[in-house]
Amino acid sequence: MSGLAQQSAMYSTSQQWNVGDCVTDMSWSPDSGKVVVSDAAGMLSVFDVQTGQMVWSVIAHDSGASQVEWRPNGGAIASSGQDGVVKLWHPESGETLVFLAVGDRWVDHIAWSPDGNKLATSSGKTLVVWDPQGNEILRYED
């Protein structure tokens, strides 16, 4: 039996994950035990991969969520939205940890640095780099 066939046999396909609208992005937890999903209605949902259960779900962004990214050390989840906001979430409870008002446009992209000590955001032609506490480190605007 191939490695893929053996691995597939370990997981049940009978579990369905329901999200509020079309999925816009998703990201694995660093330990591969959970998946966070963002959707076009602005919902953010975390699912346990082993049990198939939803851990938590919250309305994260008013006009739709665009991206979601798990912090490399597992300590936070970043989400961006069409509301010009980036939020950092507690990965276990769904509590908002940090609120970043990036601008008045959609936040198109977010990316954690490999060490998890910086978060880069882009909105239009504006690039901002933040620390995990929400302090602006660098801003570039054209």
Side-chain angles (χ1 to χ4, degrees), residues 25 66-67 80-82 86 102 105-110 121-126:
D25 199 16
S66 51
Q67 278 204 303
S80 64
Q82 298 174 13
V86 171
V102 178
R105 298 184 190 168
W106 292 16
V107 180
D108 304 306
H109 302 284
I110 55 175
T121 63
S122 70
S123 178
K125 293 183 176 182
T126 301

Side-chain angles (χ1 to χ4, degrees), residues 75-91:
I77 296 169
S79 68
S80 64
Q82 298 174 13
D83 53 7
V85 171
V86 171
K87 295 180 184 177
L88 303 186
W89 305 90
H90 190 284

